[in-house]
């Protein structure tokens, strides 16, 4: 009898998780205007903007260290995942961008974040992103097929895992 009960509980737990994940996938990114002071993820409302380093400083830090943990970075959002709001890109000083994912897939951001200046708190490291993953993100961003097909080599880039994101201006 106990086995049957455990089996039922596990089945219900797994079913509810898959249904809730499907609901998130169908729903899309959260709504909102992403106004100054809004934050997403961990309570980063108290993050001091003055404590934040620039993307260029982060790049310099990653030249010396493999990882930068508990770092605060300020930058402008250049793109947001239109599917769910599950990733963003930030503009670098050299005109390229770096990729930001949300820690543990725990929060999403509205597409209105695009073009806004934000402060991110989390961990960063330089990584090689595979062609397959680059194409996946290009599809999420609704890039043209020709742009997706043009991705043929892996890319070394800064990868940031954000605990929280705050809109600053």
């Amino acid at each position: 009898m106990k086995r049957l009960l455990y089996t039922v509980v596990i089945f219900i737990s797994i079913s509810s998780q898959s249904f809730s994940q499907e609901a998130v996938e169908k729903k899309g990114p959260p709504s909102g205007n992403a106004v100054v002071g809004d934050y997403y993820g961990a309570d980063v409302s108290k993050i001091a903007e003055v404590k934040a380093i620039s993307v260029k400083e982060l790049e310099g830090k990653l030249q010396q260290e493999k990882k930068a943990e508990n770092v605060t970075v300020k930058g402008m959002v250049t793109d947001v995942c239109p599917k769910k709001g599950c990733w963003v890109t930030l503009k670098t000083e050299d005109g390229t961008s770096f990729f930001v994912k949300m820690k543990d897939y725990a929060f999403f951001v509205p597409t209105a974040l695009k073009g806004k200046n934000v402060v991110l708190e989390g961990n960063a490291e330089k990584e090689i992103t595979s062609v397959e993953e680059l194409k996946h993100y290009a599809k999420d961003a609704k890039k043209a097929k020709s742009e997706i097909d043009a991705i043929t080599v892996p890319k070394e880039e800064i990868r940031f895992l954000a605990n929280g994101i705050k809109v600053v201006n």
Side-chain angles (χ1 to χ4, degrees):
M1 186 67 177
K2 282 185 179 180
R3 258 190 207 165
L4 178 62
L5 182 61
Y6 286 130
T7 304
V8 169
V9 169
I10 290 171
F11 176 76
I12 291 171
S13 174
I14 292 170
S15 296
S16 67
Q17 285 176 350
S18 72
F19 290 134
S20 65
Q21 184 63 31
E22 286 173 19
V24 168
E25 289 176 6
K26 290 178 182 176
K27 183 179 175 190
S31 60
N33 294 326
V35 296
V36 173
D38 284 356
Y39 65 91
Y40 309 93
D43 184 356
V44 293
S45 62
K46 294 176 178 68
I47 287 180
E49 192 177 338
V50 293
K51 175 183 152 184
I53 62 174
S54 70
V55 175
K56 187 172 187 159
E57 289 172 291
L58 176 62
E59 288 173 326
K61 191 174 197 158
L62 290 174
Q63 293 295 338
Q64 299 167 3
E65 307 167 21
K66 183 174 169 71
K67 286 185 177 182
E69 295 188 359
N70 298 319
V71 65
T72 305
V73 178
K74 181 179 179 183
M76 186 176 79
V77 175
T78 56
D79 207 0
V80 177
C81 174
K83 239 177 160 178
K84 294 183 233 174
C86 58
W87 55 259
V88 300
T89 55
L90 258 61
K91 184 167 121 178
T92 64
E93 278 76 2
D94 69 2
T96 61
S97 60
F98 82 87
F99 193 78
V100 179
K101 285 173 89 172
M102 311 333 169
K103 184 177 181 187
D104 298 330
Y105 221 52
F107 65 97
F108 303 109
V109 298
T111 55
L113 201 60
K114 188 173 181 177
K116 306 284 174 97
N117 287 307
V118 297
V119 175
L120 310 169
E121 187 175 76
N123 301 326
E125 64 184 312
K126 278 213 169 183
E127 285 186 10
I128 306 272
T129 306
S130 70
V131 170
E132 181 180 318
E133 193 172 358
L134 290 168
K135 286 185 176 197
H136 170 80
Y137 294 128
K139 286 177 188 171
D140 278 356
K142 300 182 180 177
K143 302 280 184 190
K145 183 170 178 8
S146 59
E147 284 183 79
I148 295 168
D149 291 343
I151 300 170
T152 58
V153 294
K155 178 181 175 185
E156 182 179 44
E157 61 186 347
I158 296 172
R159 300 293 295 244
F160 197 96
L161 194 57
N163 300 323
I165 299 173
K166 178 183 173 186
V167 182
V168 292
N169 64 9

